[in-house]
Amino acid sequence: MTLKMNAGTLSVESIKKLNELSGENVKLCMQCATCSGMCPMTEEMDYGPRRVMHMAQFGLQDKLAEINTYWKCASCHACTVKCPRGIDIAKVMEALRQQTLRTGKNKIEPSQMSAETIADLPQIAMVAGFRKLTS
């Protein structure tokens, strides 16, 4: 993967905002890829957690907005437990979801779901999904 970086794509402000929202310092990541190796959801993601952290380190907000990685994160904290720098990567993924949801863009739109789909879903799954994927 080649990341094109220039003054127009880099955003120091988005790095600060992500650090504030997550309570973590993404610049501490040393790109060891332990997080990607531990993640049970990597196969479902566009990019592994290591690449997301890399994009976050450079404030590539536009690129981050295009990917599904933080939506697929199971928040199981396997990455966090093994991170040699002690970064809570699951918190960073949650912060990335929150940044998108705060713009008013839902990942799923409950009003677009059919009554049959809603009836077939376990209630706990609906609550958890709506909590994670809607603003």
Side-chain angles (χ1 to χ4, degrees), residues 5 12 17 22 24 43 46 60 64 74 101-102 104 115 122 133:
M5 294 182 234
V12 175
K17 187 176 179 181
S22 70
E24 300 295 320
E43 289 184 22
D46 291 339
L60 300 175
L64 285 166
L101 293 174
R102 287 178 180 186
L133 304 172

Side-chain angles (χ1 to χ4, degrees), residues 8-19:
T9 59
L10 300 176
S11 171
V12 175
E13 188 59 37
S14 72
I15 298 167
K16 289 178 185 176
K17 187 176 179 181
L18 182 60
N19 287 347

Side-chain angles (χ1 to χ4, degrees), residues 16-128:
K16 289 178 185 176
K17 187 176 179 181
L18 182 60
N19 287 347
E20 182 180 312
L21 191 57
S22 70
E24 300 295 320
N25 183 353
V26 296
K27 291 286 190 178
L28 292 177
C29 178
M30 63 182 181
Q31 296 294 302
C32 69
T34 301
C35 53
S36 292
M38 294 305 300
C39 181
M41 297 300 293
T42 302
E43 289 184 22
E44 302 295 322
M45 298 173 172
D46 291 339
Y47 300 111
R50 183 198 66 79
R51 288 188 179 178
V52 172
M53 292 298 289
H54 188 68
M55 288 184 254
Q57 286 178 318
F58 289 99
L60 300 175
Q61 198 63 32
D62 291 342
K63 184 67 177 166
L64 285 166
E66 299 171 1
I67 63 174
N68 74 1
T69 301
Y70 48 91
W71 297 109
K72 297 286 184 169
C73 173
S75 299
C76 67
H77 294 273
C79 53
T80 300
V81 171
K82 292 293 187 175
C83 179
R85 294 287 174 99
I87 303 169
D88 192 337
I89 298 165
K91 279 187 179 178
V92 174
M93 297 295 177
E94 174 67 20
L96 288 166
R97 283 192 296 268
Q98 288 300 316
Q99 282 182 331
T100 301
L101 293 174
R102 287 178 180 186
T103 64
K105 298 176 190 172
N106 290 334
K107 181 67 176 171
I108 60 171
E109 190 56 55
S111 64
Q112 302 289 325
M113 296 175 73
S114 69
E116 296 82 29
T117 299
I118 292 172
D120 288 341
L121 291 174
Q123 192 173 23
I124 189 113
M126 287 180 38
V127 170

